[in-house]
């Protein structure tokens, strides 16, 4: 092969690579624009569209209270959606037709950060609008689910509700023994002796215990304010245990035991408002279709490792009620 032929081959290869890269970038850019446009249309269609007359807003907190779990239009919303809920309450604050919130809680709690942020948002709603918040506890309203209920003026519970669990948990796994059995050597180079917590020392346990105690005292203070009890009275009940609806009522942790329909009738009667509103959450056909397609796509190793780490717990402080399995 002469120099002319080699030169032509090199040029052809370069052109081929340039065309390929250009095609990939163009497709990616076009798909991004399309996705953004469709997502915007989807958000507008499923956004805040309240009645033009007086209404009571239903704010549902169902599932673990944690970071927003979905952001894309083709992802199926699962459980509690933190950012969406916070924005929803902001919208309610700015709508004069809204006359109050019915907080529907069916949650065993969740992270300290999101639980307290939601509690403070509900408090802000009451302070800015001077409108009431009534709480209804379904299957669970425990730990962080109980904390957010402290922003309510009245707390109703289903006869079979599990509530309470006033406390904090921070947990993880010491994998060093397993590593030794598998012949795996864990190496960690740190700037300080407490930077690596893969194998907890007594000093590190004491450090984390101090953090848990701080969060616990804050939780107790919130319950004390919300229920009009002294902190000593709250601490007598706040050893992490859960309570039945009857036990919670007898201990002053809730106001009434009621079926949901009876509670809504009582709220309507007191406020003189007989219409409820909550945003649409149903998925359209195309959203469901793309969600199904996404579910059959093989997961990457990074995704699998991330999900496994979440299942094994990560040492994040939680207002969470451990459920029997």
């Amino acid at each position: 092969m002469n120099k002319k032929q080699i030169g032509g081959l090199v040029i052809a290869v370069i052109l081929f690579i340039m065309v390929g890269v250009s095609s990939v970038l163009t497709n990616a850019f076009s798909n991004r624009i399309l996705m953004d446009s469709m997502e915007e249309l989807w958000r507008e269609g499923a956004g805040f569209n309240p009645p033009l007359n007086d209404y009571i807003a239903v704010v549902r907190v169902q599932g673990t209270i944690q970071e927003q779990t979905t952001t894309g239009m083709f992802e199926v919303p699962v459980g509690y959606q933190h950012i969406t809920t916070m924005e929803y309450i902001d919208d309610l604050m700015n709508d004069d037709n809204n006359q109050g919130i019915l907080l529907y809680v069916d949650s065993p709690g969740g992270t300290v950060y999101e639980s307290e942020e939601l509690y403070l948002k509900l408090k802000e709603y009451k302070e800015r609008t001077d409108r009431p918040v009534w709480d209804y506890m379904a299957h669970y309203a425990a730990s962080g689910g109980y904390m957010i209920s402290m922003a309510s003026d009245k707390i109703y519970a289903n006869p079979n509700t599990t509530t309470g669990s006033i406390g904090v948990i921070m947990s993880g796994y010491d994998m060093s023994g397993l590593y030794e059995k598998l012949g795996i050597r864990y190496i960690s180079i740190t700037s300080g002796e407490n930077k690596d917590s893969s194998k907890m020392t007594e000093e590190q346990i004491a450090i984390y215990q101090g953090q848990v105690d701080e969060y616990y005292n804050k939780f107790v203070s919130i319950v004390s304010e919300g229920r009009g009890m002294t902190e000593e009275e709250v601490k007598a009940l706040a050893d992490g245990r859960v309570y039945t609806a009857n036990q919670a009522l007898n201990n002053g942790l809730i106001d009434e035991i009621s079926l949901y329909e009876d509670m809504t009738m009582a709220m309507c009667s007191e406020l003189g408002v007989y219409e409820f509103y909550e945003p649409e959450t149903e998925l359209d056909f195309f959203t469901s279709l793309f969600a199904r397609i996404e579910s059959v796509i093989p997961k990457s190793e990074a995704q699998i490792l991330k999900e496994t780490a979440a299942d094994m717990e990560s040492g994040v402080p939680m207002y969470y009620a451990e459920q029997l399995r």
Side-chain angles (χ1 to χ4, degrees), residues 84-112:
T84 302
T85 303
M86 298 285 283
E87 291 176 348
Y88 175 33
I89 297 172
D90 282 331
D91 289 333
L92 294 174
M93 281 191 273
N94 297 318
D95 185 7
D96 292 336
N97 290 327
N98 171 247
Q99 300 301 308
I101 285 177
L102 191 167
L103 182 64
Y104 184 94
V105 182
D106 195 355
S107 170
T111 61
V112 164

Side-chain angles (χ1 to χ4, degrees), residues 42-43 45-49 77 84 88 277-283:
W42 177 79
R43 290 186 185 281
F48 184 66
N49 298 299
T84 302
Y88 175 33
Y277 165 77
E278 57 184 307
E280 295 284 341
T281 57
E282 294 182 359
L283 300 172

Side-chain angles (χ1 to χ4, degrees), residues 221 229 312:
S221 177
M229 304 166 69
M312 292 174 63

Side-chain angles (χ1 to χ4, degrees), residues 126-140:
K126 289 175 58 179
E127 291 166 1
R128 278 186 53 187
T129 66
D130 200 30
R131 302 170 199 157
V133 175
W134 286 32
D135 184 84
Y136 188 79
M137 298 176 172
H139 299 84
Y140 296 98

Side-chain angles (χ1 to χ4, degrees), residues 98-245:
N98 171 247
Q99 300 301 308
I101 285 177
L102 191 167
L103 182 64
Y104 184 94
V105 182
D106 195 355
S107 170
T111 61
V112 164
Y113 185 99
E114 278 75 23
S115 296
E116 188 171 339
E117 190 172 47
L118 178 56
Y119 163 76
L120 292 174
K121 178 61 69 175
L122 290 164
K123 291 271 290 182
E124 180 188 353
Y125 168 87
K126 289 175 58 179
E127 291 166 1
R128 278 186 53 187
T129 66
D130 200 30
R131 302 170 199 157
V133 175
W134 286 32
D135 184 84
Y136 188 79
M137 298 176 172
H139 299 84
Y140 296 98
S143 209
Y146 185 72
M147 170 185 277
I148 64 171
S149 300
M150 293 302 95
S152 303
D153 299 284
K154 291 188 178 182
I155 299 177
Y156 288 73
N158 184 275
N160 296 303
T161 291
T162 297
T163 188
S165 188
I166 303 168
V168 187
I169 183 171
M170 183 186 292
S171 57
Y173 287 86
D174 181 351
M175 305 292 288
S176 57
L178 177 61
Y179 287 166
E180 289 178 10
K181 288 184 178 181
L182 296 175
I184 299 173
R185 183 186 174 200
Y186 175 77
I187 299 174
S188 177
I189 301 170
T190 69
S191 57
E193 59 185 9
N194 290 315
K195 184 65 177 175
D196 179 13
S197 58
S198 60
K199 187 174 182 179
M200 299 285 283
T201 65
E202 292 301 319
E203 181 182 2
Q204 289 172 331
I205 291 174
I207 290 171
Y208 287 118
Q209 184 64 57
Q211 295 177 9
V212 167
D213 291 342
E214 179 180 329
Y215 293 128
Y216 170 76
N217 288 329
K218 185 185 296 184
F219 198 164
V220 167
S221 177
I222 288 172
V223 175
S224 174
E225 178 185 349
R227 298 306 298 163
M229 304 166 69
T230 66
E231 293 193 0
E232 289 70 25
E233 289 173 328
V234 175
K235 286 183 177 179
L237 303 170
D239 58 3
R241 77 181 68 183
V242 294
Y243 295 94
T244 66

